[in-house]
Amino acid sequence: MSIQVAQSAGFCFGVSRAVEMVEQAATEGKKVVTLGPIIHNRHVVNRFDEMGVRVIELPEEAEPGMTVIIRSHGVSRDVMERLKSRGVEIVDATCPFVKRIHTIVEKAEQAGQLPVIIGTRSHPEVEGIAGWCSRCRIFESAEELEEWAQSGEISPDFPICMVSQTTSTEISWKKSVQIAKKQFTNAKIFDTICRATESRQKEAAQLSASSQAMVVVGDAKSSNTGRLAMICREHCPIVALVDNASELKPEMFQNVAEVGITAGASTPAWIIKEVNKTMSEIINADAVQEESFEQLLEQSIKTLNTGDKVIGVVTGIGNTEIQVDLGTKHAGYIPYDEVSADPSVKPEDILHLGDEIEVFVVRVNDQEGTVQLSKKKLDGMKIWDDMATYVEEKTTVDGTITEENKGGLVATVKGIRVFIPASQSGVAKGGDMAAMLGQAVQLKITEVNRARRRVIGSIRAVTSEARKASQEQLWAEIEEGKKYHGTVKSLTSYGAFVDIGGVDGMVHVSELSWNRIKTPAEVVKVGDEIDVYVISFDAEKRKISLGYKTAEMNPWNQFMTSYNVGDVVSAKIVKLMTFGAFAEIIPGVDGLIHISQIADKRIGKPEDVLAEGQEVQVKITDVDAEHKRISLSIRALLEPVAEEAEAEAEEAPVEAEAEAPAEAEAE
């Protein structure tokens, strides 16, 4: 005789999330209401009612200052807008999978597609989905969809977008997909059945096929519970859909030895546990009486001691603890804070009904018949074993930097605090170690002292290995002319050292710029990322000569592509000579203004008219590309002005003479 509970029985992710959000809001002292029952289970709703959480049916029932929780089924856009206008705090507990469908149908309509929903019209989830588009079609079966498609209401090439209620059966959905593909040439199909629902339904089918009777636990109003019962009836002759253990009757299961139990997504674990216990009493009553005296005696005297490592099976997941069957007279339980060392981990995410787990015995209470267990302590003991192995095998592990102190950094590795000395942090001396806080890093465990609970690690050991591997690869592939993206590591008076992948090469000061520079710091600084190329290398001596300046950066090339003879440009006087002045047109390119081209009259020396640093307008009069020489002239810009002035001067006396008689006559 046996009872098997489906592993997927009970709360799904979306329902569990919604229940937690209500519990959290209720414990914060807020005036909490839910818009409709948070889930389809009267026991959960009654429990929240006892906590002061009441149910409202319409947004208009919400009062300013209330916290309104949207149930996991979700609501329409209109309902959401009406709630926002009420001046309330909205906590949206809509299942993320349902929320995704809202987005799909909304975008589909905006794209000119007709949303088609496969699901129960009256179901709150479907009503909510339909409320995120202005028009849609809802079909409860594949046959309905086919009849509509063949009615001629819309053209076969009209674009449609088909989605499903998350709790639809896989069979109905697949039939609908086949029809949509056959009837419509422009159909976008999104499989939106919740995978948890699919898994639950498949497991129910398999379990019911191998059982003499099935018990489906859940609220009769729940859509997914009803579908589970329907699936089970297809494979098993006896199926009982019960709300709780009190509805189970022995006469339902006469001559039944193998029973399967499954539950809807809205059924809490404690109800499943009660059903399991009651069914055990019903079908195993005679078997218990037939057990031998020796077996009963062995069970009664089987003892547990603090410090034991034992194996048990998870039989219940409560609000504060996990129930574990150890196969003894003791009732085992794991407090939530003893499940994992990671505070962000939720117990129900890592432990499920039916899981076989190894635990550590913390405390045995023979009087009460209970034993407190810890998964965290046993995991911790195993982690210390792992740490010792990491040292021996020089394993690289992942960690997160959580602290900084004067001696170095602290990382968390699998919940263990690992100290990383400053010299092993990979941060240069005097560098900002605080910048590493919160970063995910790779490190090696170098020392473990279990007695003192001290672990030392090294980031530098990992980076050193990586750097060595990178160096070997670089030297194997290097060639003249090859380009690299590197980082400037240091500067000297004669050049810059650049890391090009674990190997430093040097860019000589003459290769940094086409302009005249005194120090490398005029062009680059430590930390700059620059593109360089290999000029030459010596693999034996491990030396690399790099170039930074390129033909594209050559000022002469830039000048030749941007300027022409006859152009007037602004230039800066950079040097005065006896025969003229040199003027900078662009950085790195100078032109000569001969002394005869400085002014429109003879001058003794250039400094009589010009000064170093002065900005002047010049005309490019000649370019000698072969010798890279440029001739400039200021006079060429002055001569037209001078000629115009002379012309005006010549005309002035004539005008005066012509006007003189008139003036005389006037007198």
Side-chain angles (χ1 to χ4, degrees), residues 555-575:
W556 178 260
N557 292 342
Q558 294 177 16
F559 170 80
M560 292 297 289
T561 57
S562 303
Y563 298 91
N564 297 296
V565 173
D567 287 353
V568 176
V569 299
S570 178
K572 182 172 71 173
I573 304 300
V574 292
K575 194 170 185 179

Side-chain angles (χ1 to χ4, degrees), residues 399-412:
T400 302
I401 303 299
T402 56
E403 300 175 39
E404 179 218 359
N405 56 45
K406 62 180 180 181
L409 298 168
V410 174
T412 298

